[in-house]
Amino acid sequence: MADAPTEEVNETITLKVRDQSGEEMFFKVKKTTKLTKMMEAYAKRRGVPSNSLRFSLDGERIGAEDTPKMLELEGATATCLVSETQYVMHT
């Protein structure tokens, strides 16, 4: 039973991120990893600034400091939705 905490730390989950058009990307992360890592990787793959994206799970916004464990994500896969915001710069 001494290995239980180590197994929990190394436990992973696959996050399915779906955008407004239905396109999906998959990220495998540890349950203790801050989601900012996934958010930045998603933004980089899409070629957009990470601060232009909003991630949500079950209608609730996901914070960059949240982890799958904090959000009580269970099972092998969880689906997150992402929306892109348009920023208008005034000169």
Side-chain angles (χ1 to χ4, degrees):
M1 292 303 257
D3 292 335
T6 303
E7 289 176 16
E8 186 176 306
V9 168
N10 292 324
E11 191 176 354
T12 61
I13 187 168
T14 300
L15 299 176
K16 177 170 57 172
V17 180
R18 186 174 347 155
D19 68 14
Q20 294 165 313
S21 69
E23 186 177 330
E24 297 175 340
M25 282 190 202
F26 296 85
F27 298 89
K28 188 172 185 175
V29 297
K30 292 181 183 177
K31 287 195 172 188
T32 55
T33 299
K34 291 181 181 178
L35 292 177
T36 188
K37 214 171 166 182
M38 178 271 302
M39 294 172 177
E40 290 172 0
Y42 180 88
K44 185 175 180 179
R45 286 188 196 175
R46 291 287 313 267
V48 298
S50 59
N51 64 354
S52 72
L53 302 172
R54 295 185 185 271
F55 293 82
S56 62
L57 178 70
D58 297 330
E60 297 291 323
R61 181 132 185 229
I62 298 172
E65 298 297 310
D66 291 339
T67 66
K69 186 176 181 176
M70 288 170 59
L71 298 173
E72 299 178 355
L73 299 179
E74 297 297 328
T77 305
T79 302
C80 303
L81 299 178
V82 63
S83 59
E84 190 169 349
T85 58
Q86 300 296 324
Y87 290 100
V88 178
M89 295 182 67
H90 297 281
T91 56

